[in-house]
Amino acid sequence: MRFLLDDEQREFARALDAMLTAADTPRAARAWAAGDHAPGLALWSRLAEAGVFALAVPEAHEGLGPLPVELAVAFTEAGRHAVPGPLVETVAAAALLGRLTEDDGGDGQEAAAWLPRIAAGRATVSLSVPALTGPYALDADMADAVLVVEDDTVRLTAACGPVQPSGDPVRRLARPGTAGTVLARGPRVAAARAYATEVAALATAAQCLGLGRALLDRTVAYVRRRTQFGVPVGSFQAVKHRLADTLIALEFARPLLYAAALALADRGTAPHEIAAAKVTAGEAAHAAARTALQLHGAIGYTEELDLSLWIRKARPLRDAWGTPATCRARVLAP
């Protein structure tokens, strides 16, 4: 079976690619790592204008979605351009809040109030599910709100602890505050949490795919320019084989990603398909980072090279919202 995007989806990807190429995302990412969020939030606004966040918000709350396939398209481009910020966490929070408002039990008014703001790009929201993500939330220091889901409770907090050191300085982690407003409590939280984590894993898998393609494209361009013994390095058989292996891994992940998105759109849940896409795309991106580092040689280790912004994301994204071991176990589960 072939999973191909239609003309409208391909045009959406091209438009996002063109917009982000012109936006100088490496500069925004470096500023974000230094604690200056203004360039990144300007990107955030442009993504919102393109409808990216609205894809995860139900139409009843001024959104366009949920549209998992289009989300996968958008987040592939976000990964390709290393866009900073809690993009995945915000759309996952929208998925969580959307499910909670379907049957709010009389206490979903405050949850519903966030959805139009997310769709319009007026709110950045981080999401922490300690059982899956550990005690930290991404970019909790700058988010308008942090949602913490523990057991059968969803809590809203704006406070957080200090930012912790990270292997990827653009991914700023902090502990959410322990106080806050309870948005929902009860059995329905478990179903909403499960759906939100599937959306987060799907979006992260898409980021991994885009990240891997960016690393491969930049490495191919580099080995074509770099010469040794009077010929381009890219003409060496060993280099060709390494790049071919990287391409095959990424191309194998692509249909799994879109198959998972289609399954989520059709059934409203796709734990096995999304887990398969996540582990495959994550491992492919990690392999692409190793290939890029090796074939760039010593220059690949330098922080000044923009390539480092992509290389340092590979492992954190591979492990975010489901480590390879967790995803493999989910695929094998009945």
Side-chain angles (χ1 to χ4, degrees):
M1 185 177 293
R2 301 176 69 194
F3 296 99
L4 300 176
L5 301 177
D6 61 29
D7 291 341
E8 187 174 347
Q9 290 161 343
R10 286 195 291 270
E11 181 56 35
F12 182 45
R14 284 192 291 267
L16 289 176
D17 180 39
M19 181 189 75
L20 294 172
T21 298
D24 191 9
T25 53
R27 182 182 69 85
R30 292 185 184 280
W32 195 278
D36 176 8
H37 300 115
L41 290 176
L43 276 177
W44 190 283
S45 296
R46 299 187 67 179
L47 288 171
E49 290 172 3
V52 170
F53 302 110
L55 296 172
V57 176
E59 292 184 20
H61 298 282
E62 303 181 23
L64 302 171
L67 295 173
V69 177
E70 284 72 13
L71 268 178
V73 170
F75 276 80
T76 299
E77 295 305 318
R80 187 193 300 272
H81 291 276
V83 178
L87 279 74
V88 168
E89 288 69 22
T90 295
V91 297
L96 175 78
L97 295 173
R99 283 296 174 94
L100 290 176
T101 56
E102 287 179 0
D103 180 19
D104 62 31
D107 61 354
Q109 185 174 356
E110 187 171 357
W114 284 93
L115 289 169
R117 296 177 59 190
I118 291 173
R122 299 194 306 270
T124 57
V125 183
S126 192
L127 177 65
S128 173
V129 184
L132 181 62
T133 62
Y136 298 106
L138 182 66
D139 294 314
D141 63 313
M142 58 72 60
D144 295 300
V146 180
L147 295 180
V148 181
V149 187
E150 293 183 284
D151 300 324
D152 64 347
T153 302
V154 179
R155 179 167 47 84
L156 173 68
T157 178
C160 71
V163 175
Q164 303 297 311
S166 173
D168 176 9
V170 182
R171 291 178 60 84
R172 297 163 59 86
L173 302 172
R175 288 180 181 269
T178 56
T181 304
V182 173
L183 291 185
R185 180 181 283 124
R188 63 198 178 92
V189 169
R193 177 184 61 197
Y195 177 65
T197 55
E198 287 186 35
V199 170
L202 179 72
T204 305
Q207 280 190 318
C208 287
L209 180 62
L211 171 79
R213 286 309 308 244
L215 286 165
L216 178 61
D217 292 344
R218 287 169 177 263
T219 303
V220 168
Y222 179 74
V223 298
R224 283 174 173 169
R225 296 192 307 268
R226 182 185 172 197
T227 60
Q228 197 170 51
F229 308 117
V231 297
V233 171
S235 66
F236 299 160
Q237 199 71 13
V239 172
K240 289 181 179 179
H241 286 171
R242 187 69 184 265
L243 292 171
D245 288 344
T246 302
L247 176 61
I248 289 170
L250 291 167
E251 287 303 303
F252 185 71
R254 185 187 304 276
L256 291 179
L257 174 68
Y258 294 133
L262 282 170
L264 185 62
D266 290 341
R267 304 198 306 264
T269 182
H272 296 84
E273 294 91 337
I274 290 174
K278 175 64 170 57
V279 67
T280 306
E283 295 284 33
H286 194 230
R290 295 198 306 269
T291 297
L293 189 60
Q294 180 182 22
L295 297 186
H296 275 80
I299 193 173
Y301 288 92
T302 59
E303 188 171 336
E304 291 76 16
L305 187 70
D306 282 348
L307 185 78
S308 66
L309 295 171
W310 281 263
I311 286 178
R312 297 173 93 170
K313 286 187 180 303
R315 184 162 184 172
L317 285 179
R318 184 195 68 175
D319 295 343
W321 295 104
T323 64
T326 300
C327 289
R328 289 189 178 98
R330 191 169 297 149
V331 170
L332 295 173

